[in-house]
Amino acid sequence: SDCSDCRRGPAPRIEDVMEKILVVDDERSMRELLELVLKRQGYAVHTAENGTRVSASRWRRTGGRRW
């Protein structure tokens, strides 16, 4: 039997398919609310309380590479 889907390899990770949104707000409740609403809309959501946290988080995820 021919299975063209079988030759495509593994399915992409959901993080690679979903649109990503970064929410930065100093109010925890606002970050949590926005995260909940946006996730329900199908977005991958990352949150941070300020720009310093965003930079530190990005630095860790990229192994020190720039944005």
Side-chain angles (χ1 to χ4, degrees):
S1 71
D2 184 27
C3 179
S4 59
D5 288 339
C6 298
R7 289 179 275 211
R8 291 184 186 173
R13 297 177 317 167
I14 193 148
E15 294 85 14
D16 296 334
V17 175
M18 296 175 72
E19 293 292 328
K20 298 173 187 143
I21 294 183
L22 172 63
V23 174
V24 182
D25 197 295
D26 60 343
E27 291 185 40
R28 181 179 177 189
S29 60
M30 183 58 73
R31 287 192 312 270
E32 291 173 350
L33 174 64
L34 289 170
E35 181 178 19
L36 178 67
V37 170
L38 292 167
K39 281 185 174 182
R40 285 184 178 173
Q41 294 296 316
Y43 293 97
V45 181
H46 300 280
T47 62
E49 70 179 284
N50 58 46
T52 301
R53 298 270 187 203
V54 171
S55 295
S57 174
R58 179 69 179 177
W59 184 267
R60 282 193 303 274
R61 280 198 313 269
T62 62
R65 293 187 314 272
R66 297 186 123 196
W67 294 63

